[in-house]
Amino acid sequence: MRVLVIGGDGYCGWATALYLSNHGYEVGILDSLVRRHWDAQLCTDTLTPIAPIKARLQRWKDLTGKHIDLFIGDLNDYPFLEKSLLQFQPDAVVHFGEQRSAPFSMIDREHAVLTQANNVIGNLNLLYALRDHFPDCHLVKLGTMGEYGTPNIDIEEGYITIEHNGRKDTLPYPKQPGSFYHLSKVHDSHNIHFACKIWGLRATDLNQGVVYGVLTEETGMDELLINRLDYDGVFGTALNRFCIQAAVGHPLTVYGKGSQTRAFLDIRDTVRCVEIAIANPANPGEFRVFNQFTEMFSVGDLANMVKSAGNTMGMNVDVQHLDNPRVEMEDHYFNAKNTNLLELGLQPHLLSDSLLDSLLNFAVKYKTRVDKDQILPKVKWRR
Ligand code: NAD
Ligand code: USQ
């Protein structure tokens, strides 16, 4: 099976491309490398020293004998996208290739526009290219749990059945996203749903929670294959940031009360979930939604777990409650379903088992690379 991984030079995409290659899939990577450019513009860098994409792929080939095709270019460049797809001939496309930071999208008007143009137009181009050249190809698109926001009822997987004035229907679950980035994912979901309906495309929207960890079997095989690990206030996500903060003796940056709750998963489960989706494709015309996470924690829970794990490693970890730079509910109900992937065979890695191996040990190993000026959040949601 031929799988094109769009965004395959990024955090989730690199781990997924190697995992699929290792498990017998013919893999191609399409990426504009724009993420490396955004890091440079923000004067920040991944904690782990990632190699250039060609060096990464050459090392993978030398180690395993497996070749991964490479297409360097932008999804927003339609002729390039068409040419790459026609050359690669995919059976499935996994689409990770977007601007994925909520704070980045809230810096100013330019960054909000860049995020939505990059994400929404890129995804729309992909839908048209699939319609015209590969209408039977399965699109596996990375959405986000943040599309749903924090409603005061259980979160279903994409759809909810509602009775209203004596009539009943199953409708897309209401969306209440919390940043211009999260909104771009909602727009993508609507566009994909519509394309499936009118053109009969087949798609799976993976509403993924916050991903943590750096280690997968494949990226751990060699230093040149190491994955990125972001810790800065723009691209770093909560748990990854907390581990690196613990390693350098910076107090853990809990925003507000820390009672805000999110869904999480280990990067080793990200790669497996994508494989499960590919191996069990949606039907023609079907817009299928899976909630891709394994556990739910409040930000305060995470800080406490990192504090106690860090203290057992001899660190002296403090927790600091900062004024919340975001506009988000802190005290709220949060209970999301995630049965679809479990029923298809996902066996979760639990945070309590992997905090040390997959994260804290890496944070300690590379802590001399930390730029402490990048830790505190600088982007605010309010004017
Ligand atoms: P990342 O920034 O590490 O990787 C994204 C990759 O896409 C980068 O290599 C970038 O160069 C590429 N890209 C961006 N725009 C492109 C374009 N127009 N054309 C070609 N390539 C482009 O991000 P990530 O953390 O790996 O996230 C991947 C996907 O998963 C995103 O869609 C994100 O919204 C989603 N997601 C991530 C997380 C998380 O915690 N990291 C959680 C939920 C969902
Ligand atoms: N938070 C802190 N301290 C920090 C960083 C974050 O308390 O130092 C809090 C935030 O206020 C928020 C929560 O932690 O309440 C999550 O923030 P995050 O930065 O870890 O994650 P988020 O902005 O939601 O975005 C990340 C990815 C994004 C993905 C999303 C999944 O960057 O691509 O879509 O997780 S989800 O959260 O389910 O929407």
Side-chain angles (χ1 to χ4, degrees):
M1 200 176 191
R2 301 180 64 75
V3 183
L4 184 66
V5 180
I6 299 179
D9 187 48
Y11 174 50
C12 300
W14 176 241
T16 302
L18 294 194
Y19 178 88
L20 293 175
S21 174
N22 205 21
H23 286 77
Y25 294 84
E26 293 296 321
V27 177
I29 285 177
L30 184 152
D31 200 301
S32 62
L33 310 183
V34 67
R35 179 55 211 287
R36 293 178 187 246
H37 171 68
W38 291 328
D39 282 356
Q41 277 187 329
L42 294 167
C43 296
T44 183
D45 202 0
T46 145
L47 179 78
T48 42
I50 57 172
I53 183 74
K54 285 201 170 154
R56 285 176 142 184
L57 293 177
Q58 187 59 49
R59 187 74 192 122
W60 179 246
K61 190 169 184 182
D62 292 345
L63 266 181
T64 63
K66 294 174 198 294
H67 172 79
I68 294 179
D69 285 327
L70 180 62
F71 304 90
I72 301 289
D74 195 323
L75 262 190
N76 286 281
D77 175 350
Y78 193 69
F80 159 78
L81 174 61
E82 269 188 313
K83 202 170 133 212
S84 307
L85 287 172
L86 287 168
Q87 195 177 322
F88 185 72
Q89 299 280 318
D91 300 304
V93 171
V94 187
H95 178 17
F96 290 105
E98 300 204 327
Q99 192 301 99
R100 69 109 177 120
S101 156
F104 184 97
S105 75
M106 301 302 289
I107 293 175
D108 55 16
R109 185 195 67 83
E110 281 78 10
H111 288 80
V113 170
L114 184 163
T115 299
Q116 294 211 353
N118 183 67
N119 295 1
V120 178
I121 298 171
N123 184 62
L124 197 52
N125 277 342
L126 180 57
L127 292 172
Y128 268 91
L130 292 178
R131 180 197 75 161
D132 287 350
H133 303 294
F134 299 94
D136 200 41
C137 176
H138 180 205
L139 170 62
V140 177
K141 164 70 169 53
L142 270 291
T144 171
M145 285 301 291
E147 292 185 38
Y148 300 117
T150 51
N152 199 29
I153 55 171
D154 291 347
I155 295 173
E156 305 296 322
E157 301 205 53
Y159 298 90
I160 184 166
T161 301
I162 297 177
E163 279 193 52
H164 181 64
N165 292 347
R167 300 183 65 82
K168 194 170 163 183
D169 203 352
T170 297
L171 299 167
Y173 195 95
K175 303 287 176 76
Q176 304 182 77
S179 73
F180 286 120
Y181 152 70
H182 286 99
L183 272 153
S184 75
K185 304 299 249 192
V186 174
H187 304 327
D188 287 346
S189 295
H190 287 146
N191 285 343
I192 302 169
H193 194 171
F194 185 66
C196 290
K197 192 155 57 182
I198 58 171
W199 300 328
L201 297 185
R202 49 170 98 215
T204 303
D205 206 0
L206 295 174
N207 281 344
Q208 184 168 239
V210 190
V211 184
Y212 61 82
V214 66
L215 191 62
T216 54
E217 188 189 330
E218 293 78 18
T219 61
M221 283 181 188
D222 188 277
E223 189 81 11
L224 269 184
L225 302 177
I226 200 166
N227 204 349
R228 67 162 49 246
L229 186 58
D230 303 310
Y231 66 92
D232 61 282
V234 172
F235 277 102
T237 49
L239 181 58
N240 288 349
R241 271 164 66 68
F242 291 168
C243 288
I244 290 151
Q245 292 163 2
V248 296
H250 191 289
L252 309 189
T253 55
V254 171
Y255 298 167
K257 286 190 213 164
S259 41
Q260 59 274 40
T261 300
R262 296 288 180 271
F264 293 84
L265 74 164
D266 190 306
I267 184 120
R268 290 171 292 189
D269 291 334
T270 292
V271 301
R272 175 72 182 123
C273 288
V274 170
E275 187 191 18
I276 288 174
I278 295 170
N280 301 276
N283 294 315
E286 185 185 8
F287 175 66
R288 188 174 63 168
V289 182
F290 292 166
N291 290 345
Q292 179 166 313
F293 69 92
T294 56
E295 297 178 280
M296 290 175 269
F297 298 104
S298 75
V299 170
D301 291 337
L302 295 181
N304 289 334
M305 288 173 83
V306 172
K307 183 178 162 86
S308 63
N311 288 344
T312 59
M313 291 172 77
M315 300 168 184
N316 191 8
V317 184
D318 280 333
V319 176
Q320 182 183 18
H321 289 263
L322 304 176
D323 284 346
N324 197 333
R326 305 187 183 197
V327 176
E328 60 185 358
M329 264 198 265
E330 290 177 10
D331 296 316
H332 61 87
Y333 179 77
F334 190 78
N335 186 33
K337 292 239 173 84
N338 64 342
T339 41
N340 284 343
L341 284 159
L342 295 171
E343 279 168 10
L344 288 171
L346 175 67
Q347 292 179 319
H349 291 85
L350 299 182
L351 176 58
S352 49
D353 298 331
S354 49
L355 193 53
L356 293 180
D357 284 354
S358 184
L359 255 179
L360 270 172
N361 287 341
F362 277 88
V364 171
K365 180 167 178 195
Y366 294 103
K367 69 179 182 180
T368 53
R369 287 172 49 88
V370 172
D371 174 357
K372 286 195 180 171
D373 288 344
Q374 295 291 347
I375 291 182
L376 286 176
K378 294 176 192 132
V379 182
K380 293 193 170 65
W381 265 227
R382 288 187 180 79
R383 289 211 305 156

